[in-house]
Amino acid sequence: GMARPVMAQTGTASIHGHVQNPAGQPLTSGDIKLTTDRTSQPNDRKFPYDFTIDANGDYKGSGIAPGNYVVVVFQGAKSIDFNDNVTLAAGDDKQVDFDMTRKEYIDKMTPEERKQLEEYKKKNAEAMSANAQIKNLNAELIQARTDTKAGNYDEAIKLMTTATAAKPDEPILWLALGDAQLGAADAAAKAARAAGTSPTDPAITQKYNDAAASYKKGVDLNAASKKPNPETAAVAYNQLGQAYGKQGDAKDASDAYEAAAKALPANAGMYYYNEAATLYNAGK
């Protein structure tokens, strides 16, 4: 007789579930295969049903004839987990999850696999804690810049002193610290002028020196990094020029502005203008 197309009749079953790898994360690729064959060697078994695991570690499949199945998780040709007793009755939509973090699973791993798993978990924990730290530092950086703009220099200095201690190799944090210190130095110099005392008071000079030291640190770290950022270099040198210029150190200020112009030729005009303004002020 003629072959009739098989319709998914109401007498079939469905299956769905979630697959977790031994590190406790979704298994993002692979297949779930079903068979009722328990007699053949594992490699010779035919699997009449094959459902793909998606990027979230989920799978679903329908149109399965009722029966008692072995449900196997495959990655490529390798079977990595199974449940050998899943009974599906007509009309079922059964949830069958695989959690490879379970003790029985881990206990069956080879010492080599277990070592790899531990290394992976450690690296993953480090990456997650690094991400959390960066998120935290970014928030502090934004807060410090806001404080500096608002004239709350001491708050900003405190925040960035902590931040640079937490991540001493990040040039941007040193620049933000320098900006807060430069703001504090300017405010102190302005207060001194208003009070009729000398803006070259050693305490004020020290504040400018602190700012210059932070900018220099930013310059050096940026230059030493794998991918030096010309913007960072230019901004740091320009700010360094300001710190020197305001102390009346025209020579160092001029060198810093020249370095800023070299780092970012597109902005050279602005840096040369800053240099000219510094030399003009120094000559007054």
Side-chain angles (χ1 to χ4, degrees):
M2 274 170 59
R4 300 227 308 278
V6 181
M7 303 300 284
Q9 67 280 32
T10 50
T12 62
S14 298
I15 188 172
H16 66 275
H18 184 72
V19 188
Q20 237 186 170
N21 73 15
Q25 292 176 320
L27 189 74
T28 55
S29 66
D31 294 86
I32 298 290
K33 298 184 185 184
L34 278 66
T35 183
T36 51
D37 178 1
R38 288 175 169 78
T39 52
S40 318
Q41 287 300 312
N43 290 347
D44 301 334
R45 281 183 195 166
K46 299 278 174 282
F47 290 91
Y49 303 102
D50 181 337
F51 308 116
T52 308
I53 299 168
D54 70 17
N56 302 315
D58 296 319
Y59 75 93
K60 59 177 186 292
S62 55
I64 306 161
N68 181 261
Y69 287 92
V70 182
V71 182
V72 186
V73 182
F74 277 92
Q75 271 204 309
K78 195 174 176 226
S79 138
I80 59 170
D81 200 2
F82 68 91
N83 180 334
D84 62 5
N85 184 18
V86 176
T87 301
L88 297 173
D92 274 355
D93 181 6
K94 199 165 251 186
Q95 180 167 348
V96 179
D97 295 330
F98 292 89
D99 181 2
M100 298 177 217
T101 65
R102 65 187 188 275
K103 187 178 180 325
E104 308 85 74
Y105 191 92
I106 304 285
D107 288 348
K108 279 195 196 131
M109 288 174 109
T110 66
E112 184 50 39
E113 286 170 335
R114 221 171 297 168
K115 189 170 153 241
Q116 277 176 350
L117 176 61
E118 285 318 308
E119 276 169 15
Y120 173 82
K121 276 173 143 169
K122 187 168 163 259
K123 270 208 188 73
N124 198 47
E126 281 164 7
M128 278 171 73
S129 104
N131 283 342
Q133 186 198 30
I134 286 166
K135 217 169 135 181
N136 193 23
L137 289 173
N138 273 331
E140 289 180 358
L141 180 61
I142 291 164
Q143 183 57 51
R145 284 174 174 164
T146 307
D147 282 337
T148 297
K149 243 197 206 106
N152 305 327
Y153 304 118
D154 291 345
E155 290 301 309
I157 288 171
K158 207 156 71 197
L159 266 173
M160 287 301 97
T161 302
T162 315
T164 50
K167 197 165 179 7
D169 59 344
E170 180 47 70
I172 299 295
L173 300 174
W174 289 98
L175 264 54
L177 177 56
D179 288 346
Q181 290 166 325
L182 185 59
D186 285 344
K190 193 176 162 191
R193 280 194 207 95
T197 57
S198 164
T200 56
D201 172 300
I204 297 172
T205 303
Q206 186 54 52
K207 285 183 193 290
Y208 281 114
N209 286 342
D210 289 345
S214 295
Y215 291 133
K216 270 194 203 133
K217 187 98 182 158
V219 163
D220 294 344
L221 284 169
N222 181 56
S225 71
K226 279 196 203 69
K227 277 202 282 204
N229 182 331
E231 296 260 347
T232 303
V235 168
Y237 276 123
N238 182 58
Q239 296 295 85
L240 189 55
Q242 308 262 357
Y244 287 135
K246 286 175 172 164
Q247 293 186 73
D249 181 348
K251 165 84 181 73
D252 282 338
S254 174
D255 290 347
Y257 290 129
E258 295 275 345
K262 258 202 209 80
L264 202 63
N267 285 2
M270 177 179 96
Y271 302 134
Y272 286 128
Y273 168 79
N274 286 346
E275 181 184 352
T278 297
L279 294 174
Y280 166 75
N281 288 334
K284 275 205 308 207

